[in-house]
Amino acid sequence: MTSDLRSRVAAELERTRARTTLLTDAVDEGDLIRQHSPLMSPLVWDLAHIGNQEELWLVRDVGRREAVRSDIDELYDAFKHPRRDRPTLPLLDPVEARRYVSTVRDKVLDLLDTVPLEGRRLVERGFAFGMIVQHEQQHDETMLATHQLRTGSPVLAAPAPPAGVVPGLTGREVRVPGGPFTMGTDTDPWALDNERPAHQVDVPAFAIDAAPVTNGEYEAFIADGGYDTPRWWSPQGWAHRVEAGLVAPQHWRRDGDGWAYTRFGRTTPVIADEPVVHVCFYEAQAYARWAGKRLPTEAEWEKAARFDPATGRSMRFPWGDDEWTPDRANLGQLHLAPAPVGAYPRGASPLGVHQLVGDVWEWVDTDFHGYPGFAAFPYREYSEVFFGPEYRILRGGSFGTDAAACRGTFRNWDYPIRRQIFSGFRTARDAAPGEGS
Ligand code: AVJ
Ligand code: FE
């Protein structure tokens, strides 16, 4: 029984490390040490930080083993040094960082054979190991965002995402009936503290886009003067739009009459039926107002993603309770772009909402907060210290999110001005009286 769990943990650790290795071996030493944006850490900081978290939780806490390098804890504590200062720290160099993470990993694989997986909440059903797998995958997505900010010739390659095969989704709405649904989870073994506990939420009937907002739709907003019309923007959003000089999503450039974007070092014309990505919350909100809509609330998004009207239950994913497979959603860095709308018919929700999981993180109009009965576990610095009005929530994961760090309940967050992440959105509106209740 626990031997299955142990081998699954070992496989997840190994699969995740292969991704970390790919992202850090793709560039030379200079590019590992350099800071590609003041918003991001040097890649070599992420790498050693991944090892340090694994050492803190699995080697020292779960395994009760001797420290590998207690002298470097402070350097890799994300709360001690802001990202912009990290290149000036006496960091491990790439050779030392690689050696460090592999020494830590050897100890973890050794203790995984024998350490009890019960008796302590931290290890129950392998939670601490799942938390560390997710932590590494989250930093891998962060490193992928750093790759997107890096300039120079391309170093990453992947097959193009599948084509859109379901016609007519763009501009289509799905009505979600009003009434209670279960939000969050008590049962998902690797769900993090902010996804808990499960609780009932009464969500009035609403309509939500059947697919994320596309580049083509977003271009119409730009062409209609969306960036020059203060009334579409919130006061804070407009102030940011002016101060930052926003005119289009990040990485877009004028190309004749149209637009081109640069992704992972390659420039191509913007593809109209692809979900828009690299927009901030304020841009998403302005688009929604221009379209006569609004952003969904977090509860609306989760109801659209999990509610099964046939049973009244909340499922783990839009497609059901089964684990992700590559035909269900664009996750896992299998592709280096969002897939066009209609590319994942097998991932649609029972009500017919598509691509809620994968492709692009979706901004929702909710501040990051704890659910009723929230209890920080196992550390306040994962979620709780970020609760409050400064952060907005994003849902559903992107093409750069691994399935281990993505569920219908998973919550991401960032400042509303941020767009270096793989962020897009879809719109929603209240249902008209008598519509879909
Ligand atoms: C959940 C993506 C907002 O990167 O700040 C990584 C994840 N927490 N290390 C972040 C995280 C600690 C977190 N996000
Ligand atoms: Fe971290």
Side-chain angles (χ1 to χ4, degrees), residues 49 53 78 83 135 138-139 142 379 381-382 386 410-414:
H49 167 81
Q53 284 289 112
R83 284 181 177 178
H135 180 259
Q138 289 175 330
H139 277 273
T142 299
Y379 66 117
E381 291 75 17
Y382 179 71
F386 299 101
F410 190 90
R411 307 170 79 198
N412 192 7
W413 65 93
D414 212 329

Side-chain angles (χ1 to χ4, degrees), residues 82-152:
R83 284 181 177 178
R84 67 173 174 282
D85 295 345
R86 290 177 193 166
T88 62
L89 301 171
L91 301 177
L92 300 188
D93 69 29
V95 171
E96 294 167 329
R98 289 185 174 114
R99 193 183 316 126
Y100 173 58
V101 300
S102 93
T103 304
V104 170
R105 179 54 58 86
D106 288 346
K107 290 196 185 252
V108 167
L109 293 177
D110 184 58
L111 69 90
L112 175 60
D113 288 339
T114 54
V115 80
L117 294 182
E118 58 200 11
R120 255 184 104 188
R121 183 171 163 205
L122 187 60
V123 294
E124 216 64 61
R125 300 167 80 187
F127 175 80
F129 295 90
M131 176 179 84
I132 287 301
V133 164
Q134 292 180 72
H135 180 259
E136 182 162 347
Q137 290 288 359
Q138 289 175 330
H139 277 273
D140 287 351
E141 183 167 357
T142 299
M143 290 198 281
L144 188 65
T146 304
H147 271 269
Q148 169 62 13
L149 291 162
R150 168 186 167 272
T151 52

